[in-house]
Amino acid sequence: MSLIEYIISLYAPHNCIACDAETDTLLCPHCVDILSVVPPRCYRCKTVNRGIKTCNSCRSNTPISHVYVATYYDDESARRLLHLVKYGRARAGVQSMADCIMPRLQGMPVEAVLVPVPTASSRVRQRGFDQSVLLAREISARTGRPVAHFLARLGQAHQVGAGRAERITHLKGAFRPLHTRSIRGTYVVLVDDVLTTGATLETAARVLKAAGATQVDAIVFAQAG
Ligand SMILES: [Zn+2]
Ligand SMILES: [Zn+2]
């Protein structure tokens, strides 16, 4: 998208960013329907299976049991949508992300609790919002599953004065659990916008499992590759 197109898109809230049709959000229902569908597969080795289950051989390397994925990060509309959300079109953009995710959530257990994966805090301060939190709220409104803020991101404030070795530890364990009494016995579904290596989700899942979560799944809008 050129700069001019981008600026126009900011001031034309009622046109689909992909086909220009009139719509209430950023992607019209037709363009939501034609987003590339990720086949049911293990999110780690990408072996296609009948569900969205982590396969047995990957299961020993990850605490995450299932990952619901809306689409591919390579999809042009998905990338454009994420870009617009990050640069200010949060509300309408998050609604479109949820439109894409909803059809993939069949089978999500009723007892699931949605836990947004917090974005690094300096980026949230710059933007004024955390898109994972907004996305979790939108999915919550549509599915009736509650949102719980069980994770805090260890940001720069926590590293002030820390030595190099400590800082590395902080980056490795980039989350700490919150409300640990409520985490115990909970079926957690993490919510994040993009899945690349899976390292962030897996770190978050390990923290929650260690705090007593019985199962950790995840919902992501777009997966790279
Ligand atoms: Zn469209
Ligand atoms: Zn696998």
Side-chain angles (χ1 to χ4, degrees):
M1 183 168 26
S2 72
L3 182 62
I4 301 282
E5 282 174 314
Y6 172 65
I7 291 167
I8 290 169
S9 75
L10 288 181
Y11 293 98
H14 300 299
N15 289 85
C16 173
I17 58 169
C19 75
D20 208 36
E22 283 193 22
T23 177
D24 294 333
T25 56
L26 293 191
L27 267 185
C28 74
H30 170 70
C31 291
V32 167
D33 279 348
I34 61 168
L35 270 183
S36 336
V37 177
V38 178
R41 63 182 188 176
C42 169
Y43 80 95
R44 241 171 170 264
C45 65
K46 295 169 186 169
T47 304
V48 175
N49 58 33
R50 294 230 312 264
I52 50 158
K53 226 177 158 182
T54 307
C55 75
N56 287 339
S57 49
C58 290
R59 201 60 185 79
S60 49
N61 298 311
T62 175
I64 302 173
S65 312
H66 303 81
V67 180
Y68 304 87
V69 183
T71 189
Y72 290 103
Y73 186 71
D74 287 346
D75 190 293
E76 168 80 25
S77 305
R79 264 213 315 271
R80 210 186 258 203
L81 186 56
L82 279 166
H83 182 85
L84 288 168
V85 166
K86 288 189 177 168
Y87 293 92
R89 298 291 305 282
R91 196 155 298 278
V94 164
Q95 279 170 13
S96 292
M97 287 164 79
D99 289 341
C100 306
I101 288 169
M102 284 304 292
R104 322 274 195 261
L105 294 185
Q106 271 135 24
M108 183 166 69
V110 278
E111 67 271 31
V113 171
L114 303 169
V115 177
V117 176
T119 309
S121 56
S122 57
R123 274 187 261 158
V124 172
R125 268 198 301 277
Q126 261 171 15
R127 254 179 245 148
F129 62 87
D130 186 334
Q131 72 271 14
S132 302
V133 173
L134 297 183
L135 183 58
R137 281 192 200 137
E138 188 66 32
I139 295 170
S140 171
R142 298 183 192 203
T143 62
R145 310 306 197 278
V147 176
H149 298 280
F150 284 162
L151 291 170
R153 191 124 192 176
L154 297 172
Q156 279 161 344
H158 296 267
Q159 291 172 30
V160 172
R164 189 182 147 74
E166 263 179 90
R167 231 172 321 185
I168 291 166
T169 315
H170 275 152
L171 290 176
K172 263 188 174 170
F175 301 99
R176 75 186 158 88
L178 299 173
H179 316 292
T180 42
R181 251 184 247 165
S182 314
I183 297 174
R184 186 156 297 280
T186 302
Y187 190 126
V188 169
V189 180
L190 294 167
V191 178
D192 209 353
D193 53 356
V194 178
L195 168 61
T196 47
T197 63
T200 305
L201 280 182
E202 288 164 14
T203 305
R206 276 191 196 100
V207 167
L208 292 167
K209 277 264 172 119
T214 49
Q215 181 161 336
V216 181
D217 293 348
I219 295 170
V220 291
F221 170 64
Q223 179 166 18

